[in-house]
Amino acid sequence: GVLAFEGSLGGFGAFPHGGEPRVVWAGLAAGAVQAGALAESLRRALRRGGITFDAKPFKAHITVAYARRDLGREGLRKAGESFMEFLKARGREGAAPGRGGAQKGEGRFFFKEAVLMQSDLGPGGSVFTPLCRAPLGGG
């Protein structure tokens, strides 16, 4: 099984990068490699079970905020510019989730459990439902 592991926050950024961001994230400095291995292990098990899942490449990150739907393209662009200026002024922009950033080592925490979540987009935003919980070894 996969062992529990320590993580810490790394850089901050947005998806998509630049222009009209929809999601603000905090990347992992410590723990990104272990989180990636855990994700790949889970994906192999889901494939073996014939269970469909989001197959986008895994990026170790914690979602901090979603953009409001009513902002429109111009509002998103302005929000994105403001957010990127805020990060650059503090030297905290990360290159990509899972690669850390300028402020490595902040906010240490432990991953002791894996939770398989279902995400359904509704009129009020996403609804997340835990489907399965699995403790990590040694935690």
Side-chain angles (χ1 to χ4, degrees):
V2 178
L3 295 177
F5 58 94
E6 184 177 5
S8 66
L9 297 181
F12 292 85
F15 293 135
H17 186 73
E20 300 169 10
R22 302 231 170 246
V23 175
V24 175
W25 52 261
L28 294 182
V33 171
Q34 296 92 329
L38 177 60
E40 186 51 38
S41 178
L42 174 60
R43 287 172 179 222
R44 280 194 304 270
L46 291 172
R47 278 188 208 100
R48 282 194 305 270
I51 300 168
T52 58
F53 59 92
D54 184 349
K56 288 187 288 203
F58 177 78
K59 292 178 173 40
H61 72 281
I62 296 170
T63 300
V64 176
Y66 292 101
R68 289 183 1 207
R69 290 178 160 198
D70 62 353
L71 283 179
R73 292 192 73 180
E74 183 63 15
L76 277 175
R77 189 187 60 72
K78 287 181 180 177
E81 287 174 2
S82 296
F83 177 66
M84 297 313 280
E85 286 303 315
F86 170 80
L87 293 179
K88 287 175 186 171
R90 287 156 182 78
R92 297 176 65 107
E93 181 182 2
R99 292 200 183 121
Q103 302 294 321
K104 292 182 181 180
E106 293 183 0
R108 295 201 172 273
F109 47 88
F110 287 91
F111 291 92
K112 296 180 181 182
E113 168 181 65
V115 181
L116 180 61
M117 302 289 283
Q118 177 176 316
S119 173
D120 295 300
L121 186 57
S126 294
V127 176
F128 300 100
T129 306
L131 300 176
C132 177
R133 294 180 179 279
L136 301 180

